[in-house]
Amino acid sequence: MVRKTTLSDQYGTVRIEHCDYWDLECPILRKAHKAADSALICRWRPADEISDQLPDDFELKFLCLKGKDSVRRLLPMTGSDLLLTNLFAGGLSILNRNQDLSAAERSSYRLMFHFFQRIKKLNNHLERNFASSQDLTVKRSGRETSGRKTVLPEYLGVAYGGEEAPWSLDRLQTEGKLLAKECGIENPDRKETISYGFFAAAKTSPMQLTNSEGIEFLVRIALYNEQNTVRCDPECQHWIEDRILTAIEEHMGDTQEEFDNWFAGPKNSFLTQISKRKSPFGKLNNGMVRWTLMDLGWKAYRYVGNCIHAQMRCFQNALPAPLNQSERKIYEMIYLKQDYLGDFPLLLLKERLPLLTAPMLSVLSGDDDFDFVGTIHQLLYYYSDMTDNRRGADRRTQFFSKACRPFGGVNNAYNKLVSNDISKLAMGDTRDDEGWND
């Protein structure tokens, strides 16, 4: 079968409309509109060739802003979850027509998108926002022997080869507030302050990474934690994968709450359900199933990324006035698959990795005088590092909390530690006449 490899504008059209400031509900879009020289709304509607595969009211809506540099930038006007759903649906209809997908292939795409939406409940899928001081600080019960009070990377804000001290949480917020104001946010809130703080730190020491294997590894460790996983041979993994997908397909009609209860509810364990099945490859364990789930999640990102790329390429080709070189560079950097992200669109990863939001908005707003790719790579590494630190701290806190239950809780245990009764605490002496349960 010969399949087309190019995507033209035949699958949809873009209608241009005037945009008034008061038409926008999103504060970020309003700020961007206010700073722009001109603003238009671009509405993409599917052509008859694919419209039968989409809802009657299907459309993509983007705000087109022209800055003082006369460069147009397109910002989505739809919330992130709905945007990804629409881009997947539109992209799949385009790929179906363009590549003549079989019924089995279309079913695989839909199943993988369903899996992509649901996989957030898998513990190995990293989902920390690091958007508050609470996310970044470590309770004293969770600190290592070094006594570090935060999960910040030990090299934060330090240029390669530099000898200066890493940024503290206070320094991170100070630098973040300054950069946020430079980027047009007059009164940044705590979340914005922290996000732009990481952006400022990464700009000072962008990561220089060029080989595709290293980039893919970096993206993967930023998305998934490979702890508590066990790799198995390809045939065994394929067998486990088939059982997982069959089970998930039976629950595609569930609500998120119903699926969560079935997949990872307090009275259920999906991992155990699969690992206890009889296998022609011998006894399975939860680590094998967890690894296969994680690898399936990685494949699901690929499927969704393909659809986003197809849809946004068609959107680009359908614009009445084609993008010039500068506009095309920015557009493709955000919305199309990129080598510097392991062949994923930045838009797809940004929705799962909030640290990437600030540099993406900066580029879309015209502030692109920094090593964008190196900054993104450094932020991905920050995220992976902090997630590992956070998990370790949380485990220590949980362990300490359980260990302190016989002594009346953490506070009582600390009081005993302060009063130099460390040896009794270590030996588990819980006698009331010694005052341990006051």
Side-chain angles (χ1 to χ4, degrees), residues 31 177 179-189 192 196:
K31 288 178 183 177
K177 185 174 291 187
L179 182 57
K181 289 183 177 180
E182 287 179 16
C183 293
I185 304 176
E186 297 178 3
N187 297 301
D189 57 25
E192 291 168 329
Y196 278 86

Side-chain angles (χ1 to χ4, degrees), residues 45 64 98 109 128 136 138 147 156 202 211 288 333 362:
R45 292 277 297 165
C64 180
N98 191 66
Y109 266 94
R128 290 282 186 178
L136 297 171
V138 179
L156 184 69
N211 67 85
M288 293 177 177
M333 186 185 294
S362 184

Side-chain angles (χ1 to χ4, degrees), residues 282-295:
K283 187 176 181 179
L284 305 178
N285 58 52
N286 284 2
M288 293 177 177
V289 180
R290 190 178 291 278
W291 168 261
T292 306
L293 272 169
M294 191 181 67
D295 202 54

Side-chain angles (χ1 to χ4, degrees), residues 75-364:
L75 286 72
M77 299 179 68
T78 310
S80 58
D81 288 342
L82 180 58
L83 176 65
L84 287 181
T85 299
N86 286 343
L87 291 178
F88 173 80
L92 179 56
S93 67
I94 292 166
L95 290 176
N96 180 44
R97 180 68 66 178
N98 191 66
Q99 298 183 4
D100 193 21
L101 298 180
S102 66
E105 287 173 320
R106 293 194 300 273
S107 178
S108 292
Y109 266 94
R110 294 190 183 98
L111 180 57
M112 280 298 191
F113 183 65
H114 183 81
F115 187 76
F116 169 81
Q117 291 178 305
R118 308 302 200 198
I119 196 62
K120 292 183 290 184
K121 285 297 178 180
L122 179 64
N123 288 338
N124 288 67
H125 187 278
L126 307 182
E127 216 179 32
R128 290 282 186 178
N129 287 329
F130 298 114
S132 68
S133 298
Q134 184 176 358
D135 284 341
L136 297 171
T137 54
V138 179
K139 296 178 180 179
R140 51 184 177 174
S141 58
R143 294 172 192 168
E144 297 177 296
T145 53
S146 62
R148 292 188 67 226
K149 298 180 180 180
T150 73
V151 299
L152 298 175
E154 294 184 345
Y155 48 89
L156 184 69
V158 180
Y160 288 108
E163 298 181 356
E164 63 270 25
W167 288 11
S168 64
L169 182 55
D170 287 342
R171 173 79 183 276
L172 177 82
Q173 294 180 90
T174 299
E175 297 289 345
K177 185 174 291 187
L178 290 173
L179 182 57
K181 289 183 177 180
E182 287 179 16
C183 293
I185 304 176
E186 297 178 3
N187 297 301
D189 57 25
R190 180 61 61 86
K191 182 178 179 179
E192 291 168 329
T193 296
I194 291 175
S195 176
Y196 278 86
F198 283 118
F199 179 22
K203 284 173 64 176
T204 66
S205 55
M207 181 178 285
Q208 305 303 318
L209 193 60
T210 55
N211 67 85
S212 58
E213 293 81 6
I215 292 172
E216 181 169 314
F217 175 75
L218 177 64
V219 175
R220 187 158 179 149
I221 64 173
L223 287 174
Y224 294 102
N225 166 34
E226 296 191 4
Q227 295 177 359
N228 302 319
T229 62
V230 178
R231 296 196 186 204
C232 45
D233 65 73
E235 290 184 354
C236 179
Q237 181 174 335
H238 180 75
W239 187 91
I240 297 173
E241 182 178 305
D242 185 62
R243 271 65 189 169
I244 290 172
L245 291 177
T246 299
I248 289 177
E249 191 168 15
E250 294 175 356
H251 290 265
M252 285 184 66
D254 290 0
T255 64
Q256 183 72 56
E257 183 179 0
E258 290 171 340
F259 185 91
D260 292 346
N261 288 333
W262 167 75
F263 186 77
K267 298 181 179 180
N268 207 346
S269 173
F270 183 78
L271 297 175
T272 304
Q273 289 179 48
I274 301 296
S275 65
K276 284 187 175 181
R277 295 191 180 186
K278 290 185 179 180
S279 159
F281 304 96
K283 187 176 181 179
L284 305 178
N285 58 52
N286 284 2
M288 293 177 177
V289 180
R290 190 178 291 278
W291 168 261
T292 306
L293 272 169
M294 191 181 67
D295 202 54
L296 270 174
W298 181 254
K299 292 177 182 177
Y301 271 89
R302 291 281 181 218
Y303 276 78
V304 178
N306 289 342
C307 290
I308 292 174
H309 179 91
Q311 175 63 82
M312 293 308 293
R313 176 66 84 186
C314 284
F315 186 102
Q316 176 186 0
N317 292 339
L319 289 169
L323 301 176
N324 63 35
Q325 184 176 355
S326 297
E327 295 166 345
R328 189 167 61 251
K329 177 183 177 182
I330 295 171
Y331 180 94
E332 294 180 356
M333 186 185 294
I334 304 296
Y335 299 117
L336 302 188
K337 294 192 291 187
Q338 296 294 315
D339 291 342
Y340 77 91
L341 287 175
D343 216 26
F344 288 116
L346 176 60
L347 178 70
L348 175 61
L349 299 185
K350 174 261 175 187
E351 299 306 326
R352 295 292 182 260
L353 301 170
L355 287 187
L356 306 185
T357 301
M360 191 182 91
L361 289 176
S362 184
V363 168
L364 285 173

